[in-house]
């Protein structure tokens, strides 16, 4: 079980690292001048690869988490409301991951309507989600 926990943590950490950096690429894409096609193409390629990589990391992270939850019963039973809160945060992170994919497709189509400042704020959301998840798992306030 400790190996599964360790792998879960490693995959989650790597997944979040990608989710921290992908919106930063969006900030750069929003600042690319219209006449700089090579720069835009390079940033889009980087974003595509990073989104694919974070998706590949998310799958085992979720599988190991489900294994711990369903297989070992971690977070089940009375006094484990923290697990329900954590699962809510996980759903929010999955939604954020999906939103990144939607935004990237808009960049590919040239339909970006947002400023680099908006993407800077969007970039802060996974930090808040990660802090919430860590508090729920380590402190278990419920």
């Amino acid at each position: 079980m400790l190996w599964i926990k360790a792998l879960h943590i490693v995959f989650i950490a790597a997944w979040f690292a990608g989710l921290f950096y992908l919106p930063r690429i969006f900030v750069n894409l929003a600042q690319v001048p219209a006449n700089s096609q090579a720069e835009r193409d390079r940033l889009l390629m980087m974003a595509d690869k990073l989104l694919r990589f974070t998706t590949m990391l998310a799958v085992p992270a979720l599988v190991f988490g489900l294994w711990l939850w369903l297989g070992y019963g971690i977070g089940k039973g009375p006094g484990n409301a923290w697990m329900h809160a954590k699962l809510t945060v996980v759903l929010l992170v999955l939604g954020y991951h999906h939103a990144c994919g939607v935004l990237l497709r808009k960049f590919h189509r040239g339909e970006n309507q947002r400023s680099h400042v908006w993407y800077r704020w969007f970039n802060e959301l996974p930090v808040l989600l990660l802090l919430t998840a860590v508090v729920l798992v380590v402190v278990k306030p419920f």
Side-chain angles (χ1 to χ4, degrees), residues 5-24:
K5 278 185 181 180
L7 288 171
H8 177 65
I9 291 168
V10 167
F11 280 101
I12 289 292
W15 180 29
F16 266 96
L19 290 179
F20 289 157
Y21 192 61
L22 185 58
R24 183 64 205 152

Side-chain angles (χ1 to χ4, degrees), residues 12-27 50 54 89-100 103 118-135:
I12 289 292
W15 180 29
F16 266 96
L19 290 179
F20 289 157
Y21 192 61
L22 185 58
R24 183 64 205 152
I25 295 174
F26 294 163
V27 170
L50 187 56
T54 57
V89 172
V90 169
L91 290 175
L92 290 171
V93 174
L94 287 170
Y96 183 84
H97 186 121
H98 176 73
C100 286
L103 290 170
W118 187 89
Y119 288 107
R120 287 180 196 275
W121 284 103
F122 183 73
N123 191 33
E124 300 305 321
L125 188 57
V127 175
L128 298 174
L129 293 171
L130 179 62
L131 287 174
T132 303
V134 167
V135 167

